[in-house]
Amino acid sequence: QRVTQPEKLLSVFKGAPVELKCNYSYSGSPELFWYVQYSRQRLQLLLRHISRESIKGFTADLNKGETSFHLKKPFAQEEDSAMYYCALKGLSDSNYQLIWGAGTKLIIKP
Amino acid sequence: NAGVMQNPRHLVRRRGQEARLRCSPMKGHSHVYWYRQLPEEGLKFMVYLQKENIIDESGMPKERFSAEFPKEGPSILRIQQVVRGDSAAYFCASSPRTDLNSPLHFGNGTRLTVT
């Protein structure tokens, strides 16, 4: 059971598309999440694949064939600069049992 | 609601000393979780407590680490005889209930440095 975020740091210009990569290995049916931590703020849930929602312009699609859950935004904004963590759990697990990736620091350049 | 409060934000200890980390959950939350984040790694679950009870300590090292959540007061994560490898960020989270979809609310973390 593992979550891999291959990029420690991603730097893009404002207005450019953003894609934060997340790959996972899990033996059962996982539920995938993205959490975000803005500077000097607490870790908070950004979105979960089950909800199929778009939050702050971000979307993420679960690709079971490629075991990926990449986070995307078509036009980056400076306020998107933050640490982003991908996490997963089994469908029958509680949220506290999440398995976390090491995180990607996203920097949006003006 | 001030959210989950952790203190201190930064803690420096010499090898062999004790470290005490505190976590006050959000108002109305009776479930507390502790996580450790080693440098360049993801969060790792340590222990889950409900008032006066340890529910799940499967991620807690067997030696030197202990946790409590008394009837009154904050939850305490205690590390005895700290070693350099204990240097990490320690996060606390709380939730109002423990069903499968109960959201976690995180504190700002305590960064422990062992010199």
Side-chain angles (χ1 to χ4, degrees):
Chain A
Q1 327 285 48
R2 189 191 302 183
V3 176
T4 302
Q5 294 179 251
E7 302 140 328
K8 287 184 188 175
L9 174 67
L10 181 64
S11 181
V12 302
F13 283 102
K14 178 182 171 182
V18 172
E19 183 179 51
L20 295 154
K21 290 186 169 52
C22 173
N23 294 93
Y24 67 89
S25 63
Y26 191 78
S27 55
S29 294
E31 184 177 354
L32 275 294
F33 301 77
W34 277 98
Y35 278 77
V36 61
Q37 186 173 24
Y38 300 102
S39 179
R40 298 194 186 89
Q41 292 188 31
R42 293 166 181 152
L43 194 59
Q44 57 187 288
L45 178 65
L46 180 63
L47 56 79
R48 51 198 296 185
H49 91 268
I50 279 182
S51 304
R52 294 184 173 275
E53 57 202 343
S54 173
I55 304 292
K56 299 185 178 183
F58 283 99
T59 58
D61 291 316
L62 180 60
N63 186 323
K64 290 185 179 179
E66 295 183 357
T67 59
S68 68
F69 187 56
H70 302 328
L71 183 68
K72 299 177 185 178
K73 184 169 182 176
F75 307 105
Q77 298 171 303
E78 287 186 69
E79 54 264 33
D80 295 329
S81 295
M83 277 295 295
Y84 290 81
Y85 295 93
C86 183
L88 71 77
K89 71 177 183 76
L91 291 178
S92 59
D93 290 338
S94 295
N95 280 342
Y96 80 86
Q97 294 169 302
L98 286 170
I99 299 168
W100 297 79
T104 297
K105 184 171 185 176
L106 176 64
I107 296 175
I108 308 300
K109 296 178 285 189
Chain B
N1 196 330
V4 178
M5 302 300 293
Q6 287 189 252
N7 67 81
R9 288 295 304 272
H10 300 276
L11 182 62
V12 180
R13 285 288 178 265
R14 291 200 179 105
R15 277 179 297 172
Q17 290 185 319
E18 179 180 286
R20 279 182 169 246
L21 289 65
R22 294 176 192 76
C23 169
S24 295
M26 281 183 72
K27 190 175 180 180
H29 289 192
S30 58
H31 303 267
V32 166
Y33 316 89
W34 285 94
Y35 297 84
R36 177 167 65 174
Q37 185 179 28
L38 294 169
E40 302 194 357
E41 294 189 15
L43 276 71
K44 295 282 195 312
F45 167 74
M46 299 180 75
V47 62
Y48 159 30
L49 308 106
Q50 203 177 350
K51 282 287 186 182
E52 299 185 276
N53 291 305
I54 294 175
I55 308 299
D56 182 351
E57 56 181 348
S58 56
M60 188 95 98
K62 294 286 184 280
E63 295 178 354
R64 302 187 298 107
F65 285 73
S66 63
E68 62 177 16
F69 188 17
K71 190 175 179 182
E72 302 291 338
S75 175
I76 307 283
L77 179 68
R78 184 177 171 213
I79 311 172
Q80 295 178 290
Q81 300 174 324
V82 295
V83 301
R84 288 234 171 96
D86 296 332
S87 294
Y90 291 82
F91 289 93
C92 170
S94 72
S95 66
R97 56 189 189 275
T98 191
D99 60 65
L100 296 182
N101 294 312
S102 185
L104 298 180
H105 298 262
F106 284 88
N108 277 323
T110 293
R111 190 164 298 278
L112 172 65
T113 302
V114 180
T115 60

